[in-house]
Amino acid sequence: MIVAQRKPLQEIIEKLEKHKKVLIAGCATCVAECRSGGQKEVELLASQLRIAFADKKISIKISECCIERQCEPEMIEEHAQKVLEQDVVLSIACGVGVQEMSLRFADITILPGLNTTFMGTHAKQNSWEERCGGCGNCILDLTMGICPIARCSKSLLNGPCGGTHDGKCEISEDTPCAWALIVERHKEKGKLEQMESIIPPKDWSTSRDGGPRVLAREELE
Amino acid sequence: MKSGSRLEKILEQGNFAVTAELGPPMSADAEVIAKKAAILNGTADAFNVTDNQTAVVRMSSIAASAICVKEGIEPIMQMVCRDRNRIAMQSDILGAVALGIRNCLCLSGDHQSFGRAGKLLGHPGAKNVYDVDSINLISILRTMRDEHKQQGGDPIKSDVPLFIGAAWTPLGDPVDFRVIRLGKKIQAGADFVQTQGIYDVERFSDAMKKAREKGFHEKTAILAGIIVPKSAGMLNYMNTSVAGVSVPEKMIQRMSQAENPKEEGIKITIELINEIRKIEGVRGVHIQPIEWETAMQEISGKANLLPRPETA
């Protein structure tokens, strides 16, 4: 899923305080899963803002909505009437949702309330971890299902650099070394010799380096 | 001859090679390199010119190496994958060769977050590149030299005489993989290999044994790295905080009891050189007197490594 994190409350307050009618628009999909932008977070943020603005004696009408998937125009449309009554929408969807809202409601200010961070998983309680770099040419078959593009801080292709220590990355004790994990899994399966072959330079043209990507499935038309 | 570099000739002649390190300044002052070159001249066969080590901006390794050439000492230009994509790397290599640089050591490079240390701010917010990794870089240089081809396939209309180097961290985690990774570097085309600093000769001997079992010592010239110790604190730091460096407790104690730690550091270095020389398959040493170039003359001299042999 797409993982995002809410922007600091102070930053949101500063962006909103000059407006009169604000809609907080959540998204019930990925960002709800990572508890940043779903129905509950809409309610919580709305309460926090009401209290903050009351304290500052600023009068702003705060409304709430949660769109099933803010990245889907049809689902946005269901909430159009409510959106059109506002002068600003604080979207707490991922960056895709914010852009879809901006496209549909060109006359209304759409502000991002989250920082979209990565594609990842709910690795342990209250903790999400990056898993995929979306590079467009998956090599997980060569790396025992652990992605070095997303999970090695240098996106190395041929094993751990000299900086790995005790299974941790050189950048932080809290960051597992993806290549240490890959080596470990090869060892467990008795397949360490598979790591002897060189993975050649990656073709990054399937990644962001090839420009914004488009997926057109003509066969589905 | 692949490159005609002095380092290559020394190794070809069967001599025990000596390399040392020369860190470029955090300035545009060519005089700093010239002074270091004058101090280091004659103490080793070639000198590693670091490439923005620890991700701190310094004079480029290509420019500093070119100054070394002008000053009459042979550079081993280091190149890290952190800061350049394959286009910039190949372009810089062509430029380096044109400027008379004949050795290149291929490295991944420290992560940019390393730059913030002590009083330095570094550039932890920098975007890193890592378009290719160090093993791919070795392979790219070999293709440029041996096939006169760029990585993308376009031809190169001149020779690219280069002696290609790689790093080996024999005692680094995950230790089982380190010999395999060395093998990949040899497969990619590493002509010589310089190791991470060795203090634990016993463990290094074991690693060398594993390398010999695979015949790696015959396929590449392995130069054992020695970081000249200055204090017990430094040894302790290296042992606990530098990945792949293991310092025996005895050595840390010896240093802490020394009346003159710097003198003791030179003694330890010489002892290490003498012990490491005896290990089968070690074809040279890479001495790193970090920002202490003046120690090189004494170290090489007392380790009976001087004068350096003539090369044709």
Side-chain angles (χ1 to χ4, degrees):
Chain A
M1 68 176 144
I2 295 171
V3 178
Q5 194 179 17
R6 209 192 70 197
K7 284 180 179 286
L9 190 62
Q10 195 52 41
E11 186 184 329
I12 293 175
I13 290 169
E14 283 166 20
K15 279 182 181 172
L16 291 180
E17 56 193 6
K18 59 179 182 290
H19 297 282
K20 293 289 165 220
K21 284 184 286 180
V22 173
L23 174 69
I24 301 173
C27 178
T29 313
C30 306
V31 293
E33 289 298 320
C34 64
R35 293 180 214 141
S36 301
Q39 177 67 43
K40 279 186 187 164
E41 291 73 35
V42 170
E43 289 166 16
L44 178 68
L45 180 58
S47 311
Q48 285 175 312
L49 289 173
R50 284 184 192 112
I51 293 165
F53 290 134
D55 280 352
K56 293 180 129 193
K57 303 202 182 340
I58 299 173
S59 163
I60 299 178
K61 183 171 181 293
I62 296 171
S63 315
E64 302 167 28
C65 80
C66 189
I67 301 169
E68 191 58 31
R69 288 212 298 273
Q70 231 180 89
C71 56
E72 285 286 347
E74 283 172 19
M75 292 179 176
I76 290 176
E77 207 51 46
E78 291 169 18
H79 299 261
Q81 203 172 349
K82 195 163 194 181
V83 173
L84 290 166
E85 290 164 7
Q86 316 297 324
D87 48 40
V88 62
V89 174
L90 180 77
S91 162
I92 55 170
C94 73
V96 182
V98 175
Q99 292 187 56
E100 280 304 319
M101 293 286 278
S102 302
L103 185 69
R104 168 63 182 86
F105 306 107
D107 296 333
I108 293 169
T109 304
I110 313 289
L111 298 174
L114 302 184
N115 293 318
T116 308
T117 43
F118 52 78
M119 282 185 278
T121 186
H122 192 184
K124 46 185 185 265
Q125 202 176 5
N126 302 326
S127 175
W128 289 263
E129 293 178 6
E130 186 163 17
R131 287 290 182 266
C132 175
C135 70
N137 187 4
C138 193
I139 55 160
L140 284 168
D141 54 324
L142 302 176
T143 57
M144 291 275 167
I146 295 162
C147 177
I149 304 301
R151 298 175 68 182
C152 164
S153 58
K154 302 176 184 175
S155 296
L156 301 182
L157 286 178
N158 284 290
C161 70
T164 175
H165 188 56
D166 278 344
K168 304 295 181 200
C169 174
E170 69 177 25
I171 65 164
S172 157
E173 281 290 309
D174 302 325
T175 307
C177 167
W179 277 104
L181 297 172
I182 296 168
V183 169
E184 193 51 40
R185 206 169 282 184
H186 275 91
K187 266 169 70 180
E188 280 166 13
K189 301 211 170 190
K191 289 182 173 170
L192 205 51
E193 79 289 343
Q194 272 185 6
M195 298 191 75
E196 287 170 14
S197 28
I198 293 174
I199 301 179
K202 193 170 174 63
D203 176 357
W204 294 105
S205 68
T206 57
S207 184
R208 256 286 302 151
D209 304 73
R213 290 164 284 182
V214 174
L215 174 68
R217 297 276 301 272
E218 285 170 16
E219 76 277 18
L220 298 181
E221 278 171 16
Chain B
M1 277 283 145
K2 292 167 171 170
S3 68
S5 78
R6 178 184 162 80
L7 178 62
E8 183 182 9
K9 287 177 187 165
I10 286 281
L11 290 163
E12 280 279 303
Q13 290 168 8
N15 290 306
F16 190 76
V18 182
T19 58
E21 194 164 281
L22 189 160
M26 288 171 71
S27 75
D29 187 357
E31 206 38 45
V32 177
I33 307 280
K35 276 186 190 153
K36 285 187 178 187
I39 294 165
L40 291 168
N41 199 350
T43 63
D45 301 306
F47 300 89
N48 282 48
V49 180
T50 49
D51 181 10
N52 298 314
Q53 74 265 33
T54 66
V56 170
V57 171
R58 293 170 184 274
M59 184 190 293
S60 70
S61 66
I62 183 169
S65 294
I67 297 168
C68 286
V69 171
K70 198 176 109 202
E71 297 295 328
I73 67 167
E74 180 167 297
I76 298 170
M77 184 178 87
Q78 295 192 179
M79 184 174 267
V80 302
C81 301
R82 179 191 59 229
D83 307 325
R84 305 168 179 82
N85 70 1
R86 65 192 81 178
I87 301 169
M89 283 173 154
Q90 293 179 92
S91 158
D92 279 355
I93 286 292
L94 295 179
V97 169
L99 289 166
I101 295 158
R102 293 289 177 267
N103 307 299
C104 180
L105 183 81
C106 306
L107 302 167
S108 298
D110 296 319
H111 190 268
Q112 67 273 19
S113 59
F114 271 45
R116 179 158 290 176
K119 288 180 186 167
L120 293 175
L121 301 174
H123 297 82
K127 182 173 182 181
N128 66 29
V129 183
Y130 294 112
D131 174 22
V132 298
D133 61 25
S134 59
I135 291 174
N136 288 150
L137 177 58
I138 293 165
S139 168
I140 289 169
L141 299 196
R142 184 174 62 175
T143 308
M144 291 175 80
R145 181 191 67 200
D146 296 349
E147 297 172 30
H148 294 83
K149 254 192 209 164
Q150 297 181 8
Q151 191 270 335
D154 288 329
I156 296 170
K157 295 173 187 165
S158 74
D159 284 338
V160 187
L162 271 179
F163 202 48
I164 304 165
W168 179 32
T169 312
L171 309 184
D173 294 324
V175 78
D176 297 6
F177 184 68
R178 290 297 159 186
V179 170
I180 295 178
R181 189 159 156 90
L182 172 64
K184 289 176 89 154
K185 290 185 172 181
I186 293 167
Q187 196 187 323
D191 301 307
F192 70 101
V193 165
Q194 292 171 320
T195 78
Q196 173 60 288
I198 306 295
Y199 293 108
D200 193 332
V201 179
E202 208 173 309
R203 286 189 65 202
F204 176 59
S205 292
D206 288 344
M208 277 303 297
K209 186 163 169 274
K210 285 183 191 140
R212 283 198 306 272
E213 282 164 5
K214 300 214 174 240
F216 291 162
H217 64 306
E218 285 162 353
K219 293 179 181 157
T220 195
I222 298 172
L223 277 56
I226 296 170
I227 302 166
V228 184
K230 287 182 197 164
S231 65
M234 173 180 167
L235 283 177
N236 208 24
Y237 172 79
M238 304 270 297
N239 191 40
T240 52
S241 306
V242 179
V245 177
S246 153
V247 187
E249 191 50 46
K250 261 195 326 201
M251 193 180 284
I252 299 173
Q253 269 178 17
R254 174 179 162 185
M255 198 58 145
S256 66
Q257 285 157 5
E259 262 180 48
N260 185 335
K262 284 179 99 175
E263 241 170 53
E264 200 67 22
I266 291 182
K267 267 192 206 162
I268 288 173
T269 303
I270 294 161
E271 287 170 23
L272 284 169
I273 294 171
N274 290 333
E275 285 174 56
I276 285 170
R277 280 191 86 152
K278 292 183 209 149
I279 301 170
E280 191 191 340
V282 174
R283 292 173 61 187
V285 278
H286 173 51
I287 305 166
Q288 299 166 73
I290 301 169
E291 291 301 315
W292 188 18
E293 286 84 1
T294 49
M296 270 307 290
Q297 187 70 38
E298 185 179 355
I299 292 167
S300 291
K302 288 188 176 163
N304 295 318
L305 297 168
L306 295 184
R308 297 308 304 145
E310 291 293 323
T311 53

